[in-house]
Amino acid sequence: MKEKENKKLKKWKRKEKAHEEVITTHINADFDALASMIAARKLYPGAALVFAGSQEKNLRNFFLHSASYLFNFSKIKQIDFDRIKKLILVDTRQKSRIGRFAELVDRPDVEIHIYDHHPDSKDDILGQVEVIRKIGSSTAILTRLIREKGLPVSHDEATVMCLGIHEDTGSFTFSSTTPEDYEAAAWLTEQGADHNVIADMLTRELSAEQVWLLNDLTKSAITRVINGVEVVITKVVRDEYVGDFAVLVHKFMEMENLDVVFALAQMEDRIYLVARSRIEQVNTAEIALALGGGGHPHAASATIKNKTLMQVERSLQALLRSRINPTKTAGDLMSSPAIHIPPHETVKKAADLMTRYNINVLLVMNKRDILKGYVTRQVVEKSVFLGLEEIKVNECMNIEFSTVPPEASLKQVQELIIRNRLRILPVVEPESQRAMGVITRTDLLNILVGEPLIPEFFYDSKKASHFARKKNMAAVLKERVPRKIIKLLKDFGHVADMLGYNAYLVGGLVRDVLLKHENLDVDIVIEGDGIKFAHEFAEHYGARVRSHRKFETAVLIFPDGFKVDVATARMEYYESPGSPPVVETSSLKLDLYRRDFTINTLSIQLNKRHYGTLIDYFGGQKDIKDKVLRVLHNLSFVEDPTRVLRAIRFEQRFGFKIGKLTLALIKNSLKRNYFKDLSSRRLFLELKLILKEEDPVKAIERMNEFDLLQFISPEIKLTGSLRALLDETKKVITWYNLLYLEETFEPWRVYWHGLTCSLDDKALKALAEKMGMVELDDRSMISQREKAKQLLDPLYNFKGNDYLLYTLLVPYDTETLLFLMAKVTNRRIKQLISNYFIKLKGTKIQLRGKDLVGMGFKSGPIFKEIFDHLLEARLNNLIKTKEDEIKFVRETFGIED
């Protein structure tokens, strides 16, 4: 009897252990969900497989006949929820879609692991482990992990997993399919996946009931134009549940060749929604999510309880009206406000405006913004050539022109520009005849080609994001950016929404997120008043603001010292080569256009509705992928020659190559000697950034190839000995870093000493003065270099103790001594400096002034004398502990009354 009870107890313990880890998926599980569960079991072999709720009928049939005994699934009623310690979610992370398992989400003792390929939603659960990738199927994500771990897969497992990939990618026909899905399916085929079984499951003949249902879907379909988009809505009613409703909707979409379809089915006591979309204007996942479901932008579903079919249809139509992005009209496409000139201004003024803004057509408008005509660059240049620069613009403007109203469709705009070969098409309000904006030929090309082009004309608008290449980066940001900064970005979006502004993350952080490089420099651009935004943010989130009204910029300084740069979207133009830029308020596109290289023109919108949207006007993503550095326009290096140094810096840092045209432009700017007018201070700041790179030696070599070192000083030549010194400097810096000393240092100063080592004291001072090295640390660096030469002889002949070595070297900063270590070839001198860093420099005495007072000494010059003797004794190993120090003081100095 006792033996029987022990067996029962052991059996119960085995059951308890098995249920500590549970793998589940979403309600109404499909084949991808099933396959993901089976794949997850390979990674968590001790976990129980449990469905959160019902499954699609096709899956239920398969499960009843095959999977239940093959893969040992448990029923939810067999699970003791109190014993669960780890919940593994696959093919979902929405709390509302996992049934009773949702009650585990907020339990602190339950660890949650997530494997999913769906877009982000407000209902998402946060897990301790998250593997989220935007690919065609969750099974492909898990297959990759299984392959990486070298885990075996049986023929049956491979078949089910391959079936899951086929179903969720439409057998690789859906636009969400990625190369990773193909690779996973190919590997599973190698593992023995049975494609006869897969084909049988995917191509089952329709039952009579399904044929009638498909017929009803076709007959009840109604086409509605919502925000300019054709949407088909269809609905059916059945007393009993009919399986494979999603398959039927897909067949209906294929038969009728539809772009967008929303199908509603009332079956039993529920309403089922299945949505499909082939166009980016309609995100089915967003709409299904609002109805309690989920999915992908191109395919989604929802199950709605406790509502009638009519109620759901009304809710659906309201959602479609609010969530469908409208098709583009002229008002959306136009750049506004248009750069223009009054009729009474001179041709010379028109020429200046065209040059300043880099445009070829200039609208002529009166004070009431009524369009009077336009002038072209050819006419203006010809007038100037003929000596007519002082004539009025209205004397040479073209008064015959085409216009469109803001409601005009993209098709109308396209026909006008192409048929009439227009460079520019004004958008005019019909009643007032007021010019609202312009559409350029390049704008139209951007839309038709679907790729961002470098703008031929310098027009822009806050609506210009329609022309940019976009994708959502929210998940990538979450994966690659610290949580603290993610929260900060969302807070920026919140404040921007409050003020009615658009907020964007720009600059190196966006670039480095794509490159998977660490970067915590946060730069924000505001379409609106950046300074007002910064003050509003500081008021709500407890930061300080330092603003610069001249440049429309601000710095947010947080209590922990973290800083964020905020700028009003602005444009710059240069009055002469190498001169500082003149700044004017603008919009995001123009703000990005003023930047140095395409890889630095990427931005991510932070407003809540569009959070995480990557905006790429100038092909930055492609250039990052191709590892190419490319400027935005041919005068880039003329406007700012320091961009040549930046090109070298980025080329070496990222292992990129400078594009063919950009390289030619660099050589041309050097040939025309644009560096001669460049401020030496700006040159120094760029050189300093190069020397701050992890390995600046290659960049210095590249500078030498372009003969740029002469602009630092004509006396600097990259000889063999200088190359060797720079290489040795790199080794010395690496050695010092490996000491892991508490004291920080600036490696760029060591490289600076090396680079300028050929200059005598007079030339070094002149260089420092020319480059504006006026900071205290910079001046100290120069003076120490002068004194360092006097240090070599004492070191060469040094025969003293550690204290004497300490007093000899302590006046010099770390960077100067590291430079000497790199420069000298004498091993004894290197060893002495090394000994100083390792053994002596960090030496400290333990007695303090209050200790001396306690011993009876009176505060005064005697304190310094005592401390100096104590340090000498400690450095020479005469004392080691605090007690030794007290004894030493008493014996050496006695006790004063």
Side-chain angles (χ1 to χ4, degrees), residues 352 361 584 734 812 837:
D352 289 344
V361 181
E584 292 183 1
T734 302
Y812 296 91
F837 280 128

Side-chain angles (χ1 to χ4, degrees), residues 548-575:
H548 307 277
R549 180 56 68 180
K550 178 182 177 182
F551 297 106
E552 297 293 334
T553 62
V555 179
L556 284 165
I557 306 168
F558 292 84
D560 62 357
F562 187 72
K563 296 179 181 179
V564 172
D565 291 323
V566 177
T568 302
R570 62 200 194 274
M571 65 167 291
E572 298 172 348
Y573 63 87
Y574 295 76
E575 294 180 335

Side-chain angles (χ1 to χ4, degrees), residues 28-69:
N28 292 329
D30 53 14
F31 278 120
D32 187 37
L34 169 69
S36 297
M37 291 175 71
I38 291 168
R41 181 75 166 272
K42 306 297 293 183
L43 303 174
Y44 302 88
L49 299 174
V50 186
F51 283 115
S54 60
Q55 306 93 45
E56 291 184 357
K57 184 177 179 182
N58 207 16
L59 175 57
R60 285 206 304 271
N61 292 337
F62 175 78
F63 183 75
L64 289 171
H65 290 97
S66 307
S68 59
Y69 67 87

